[in-house]
Amino acid sequence: IWCILFLGGWLAWSGGADGPGAVIRIDLGMIDHAISTALNESDVLQKMAEEAAKKKPTTKPIKGVSGLKMKDLRPPVISLALPPGSGIFMVVLVQMTIAGKSFIGGNTAIALAANLTASSRLWQDATGIPRLSCRTRHIALVSIKTNLPSSILLKVMSKFLDSTLQKVLPGLLCPAVDAVLNLVNAKFTTMTSKIPLGTAGTLRYALLNPPVTTETFIELDLKTILHQKEGKEVDLPMDQPVASLPLKRDAAAQLILSANFLSAELCILLASFNLDISNNMVGVNWEGKGMSPLCFDSPQISRVLPPSQPMVIEMREAKAPVVTITLDKSCVQLFSTAEFRVIPSDSAPESLFVLDVHSNLEAQFAIAEEKLHLSLALQSLACVALASSSLGTFDELLLKRVLAAIVHVAYVPSINRVLRGGVPLPDLLGITYRRANLSGFEVGT
């Protein structure tokens, strides 16, 4: 099943104060695939065939035919439609043979084709899981062929329709439809399972609103429920502008992930971004040329910290990252602190100063193993400001170049290693995300 994966700003929707972290649109092809897969993975058809092979008593015998039983039940042909605002309309063509003995002697075979039409309601249960339930059913005869003489056929036809079609077939076929819907519901349930985000926390998808059905697709607005490992839920940020959803393309499922959801997902991993950087971890500068470890242009710092003095830089995230996605580029803003500590040989580490660092990073997305993978590359340091210092005040901008080298060479690669686990995507009806097309869309203001 093909999937178009869009990455966007905030997603426009109707009603409520919270917005969806993800929106998924599924078309008839995807639903048909899910039903076919459910039938193949279960024994529904086998049970139908076994039931059809049993001798079926009737309230009144059909004159001229005795010992009726059903056999040769063929796999049903299922056609689907999406009534707007409802659920799924299903037409099931069933073909079988009714066998018995004729009073004139010999075996009698009646080949029957019937349509079972069923309308189902798609709704949301209390746990946020989509559910299908059957509302109405109707069985209509499509064709009938028999080896009985035509004169006998005319006499028995009315009783056959009454006794066999209207009494035997509903009991055989309607439970099978319910079984198929239950199998699809079981596949919906997997969407809401808790998914571990490494050791940092968990992610769970659930319906935010009741499903919306149009003539071409079913739309599901999903909450993305993120919990830290301590159990605390992470709220999605609400400060980004609203965007309209791109139009759905034909013959593909469509998943749209909110940039706010991706920002919140990075929040779960913040503690894993922390890094202590020592002298020997930074051996190249921004252009990739050799440089002395942690050279400083400030004479004031150089007097306090000779080049040979061991030192560590503690990089910590101070607040939530912000993910911004447009049609042309995706960016992540990190808000960090960089604490520079000297390590004397005969005493405990001493803090020299702390810098507030605002980094702009370009984000690249890829799909692998049914997950969205994110990698970052430093574009610039938007801001470097002195937060505290034991050395007194100095021009912190003199450190911007060496700090960029630290972030580029040591800190960003460490973050990318944390991000290798990827963002698990909704497990819904067998979508194959590894074949997805990735696209961003522009956020309107």
Side-chain angles (χ1 to χ4, degrees):
I1 301 298
W2 289 95
C3 177
I4 309 298
L5 182 61
F6 288 95
L7 305 166
W10 195 244
L11 304 180
W13 69 294
S14 59
D18 296 328
V23 172
I24 190 162
R25 290 169 173 168
I26 53 179
D27 59 9
L28 279 174
M30 183 177 173
I31 299 168
D32 183 67
H33 175 78
I35 291 175
S36 299
T37 302
L39 289 173
N40 292 333
E41 292 176 350
S42 70
D43 56 356
V44 170
L45 291 181
Q46 180 181 348
K47 289 181 178 178
M48 287 176 65
E50 292 173 354
E51 188 72 12
K54 294 178 181 178
K55 186 175 181 178
K56 295 290 181 180
T58 58
T59 56
K60 293 182 181 180
I62 296 177
K63 186 178 294 185
V65 181
S66 63
L68 283 177
K69 64 178 181 179
M70 298 182 188
K71 64 178 185 178
D72 299 335
L73 177 66
R74 299 182 187 178
V77 178
I78 300 175
S79 302
L80 303 174
L82 294 175
S86 177
I88 298 175
F89 183 75
M90 184 184 306
V91 179
V92 184
L93 175 63
V94 180
Q95 300 175 76
M96 66 180 69
T97 299
I98 308 290
K101 290 187 179 293
S102 170
F103 76 95
I104 60 176
N107 294 325
T108 297
I110 303 173
L112 172 73
N115 265 340
L116 169 63
T117 57
S119 63
S120 61
R121 181 172 70 99
L122 183 60
W123 51 286
Q124 174 185 356
D125 72 7
T127 62
I129 301 175
R131 293 291 184 192
L132 282 167
S133 58
C134 199
R135 293 194 299 186
T136 62
R137 304 181 184 91
H138 178 70
I139 295 177
L141 186 67
V142 175
S143 66
I144 182 171
K145 295 180 181 180
T146 180
N147 61 354
L148 287 172
S150 58
S151 59
I152 298 177
L153 180 61
L154 291 174
K155 295 178 182 179
V156 304
M157 179 59 71
S158 61
K159 286 185 176 292
F160 172 77
L161 290 175
D162 179 60
S163 300
T164 304
L165 181 61
Q166 297 301 331
K167 294 182 180 179
V168 177
L169 292 184
L172 171 68
L173 300 180
C174 292
V177 171
D178 292 334
V180 170
L181 294 182
N182 288 335
L183 289 169
V184 177
N185 285 336
K187 290 184 175 294
F188 276 132
T189 303
T190 60
M191 183 191 74
T192 62
S193 300
K194 277 189 177 181
I195 311 166
L197 298 172
T199 59
T202 61
L203 164 65
R204 186 171 76 87
Y205 294 96
L207 277 179
L208 178 64
N209 308 301
V212 177
T213 304
T214 71
E215 291 182 354
T216 55
F217 60 85
I218 296 172
E219 180 169 304
L220 306 176
D221 292 343
L222 305 182
K223 293 187 293 184
T224 47
I225 304 168
L226 291 154
H227 283 92
Q228 297 173 332
K229 63 181 179 180
E230 298 84 4
K232 181 182 178 181
E233 184 172 343
V234 177
D235 295 328
L236 270 66
M238 298 290 291
D239 57 352
Q240 293 197 20
V242 172
S244 297
L245 299 182
L247 293 176
K248 185 182 183 302
R249 302 182 183 182
D250 293 336
Q254 184 184 55
L255 173 65
I256 305 101
L257 293 181
S258 163
N260 286 341
F261 159 55
L262 298 176
S263 296
E265 202 271 342
L266 291 180
C267 284
I268 291 284
L269 303 172
L270 277 188
S272 302
F273 292 172
N274 294 340
L275 183 67
D276 293 344
I277 303 169
S278 58
N279 296 58
N280 56 9
M281 294 178 67
V282 185
V284 294
N285 67 6
W286 180 255
E287 291 81 14
K289 300 176 183 178
M291 62 179 285
S292 300
L294 303 180
C295 296
F296 294 102
D297 297 325
S298 169
Q300 184 179 7
I301 298 174
S302 296
R303 286 195 299 268
V304 176
L305 180 64
S308 60
Q309 179 71 62
M311 193 181 67
V312 64
I313 304 97
E314 296 180 0
M315 298 294 300
R316 302 289 185 266
E317 288 305 304
K319 64 178 183 177
V322 175
V323 178
T324 305
I325 298 171
T326 64
L327 192 63
D328 300 322
K329 183 182 291 187
S330 300
C331 298
V332 174
Q333 299 178 67
L334 292 182
F335 304 92
S336 317
T337 60
E339 182 173 7
F340 288 67
R341 288 178 173 269
V342 67
I343 308 177
S345 58
D346 56 351
S347 61
E350 300 173 5
S351 178
L352 297 178
F353 52 88
V354 179
L355 299 176
D356 289 329
V357 184
H358 178 188
S359 306
N360 287 331
L361 303 103
E362 183 176 359
Q364 296 290 333
F365 296 95
I367 298 291
E369 299 178 347
E370 308 305 321
K371 295 180 180 180
L372 178 68
H373 291 266
L374 170 66
S375 63
L376 305 177
L378 180 64
Q379 286 186 309
S380 65
L381 296 186
C383 179
V384 176
L386 186 64
S388 62
S389 173
S390 63
L391 306 178
T393 60
F394 60 89
D395 186 1
E396 64 271 18
L397 295 181
L398 295 174
L399 300 178
K400 190 171 184 179
R401 184 171 177 271
V402 70
L403 188 59
I406 294 169
V407 173
H408 170 64
V409 175
Y411 193 45
V412 173
S414 175
I415 293 175
N416 283 335
R417 286 190 291 271
V418 174
L419 297 177
R420 283 178 184 171
V423 180
L425 299 174
D427 181 8
L428 180 65
L429 301 183
I431 291 180
T432 305
Y433 293 104
R434 63 179 176 272
R435 300 171 62 191
N437 295 324
L438 277 168
S439 177
F441 67 89
E442 192 166 356
V443 177
T445 57

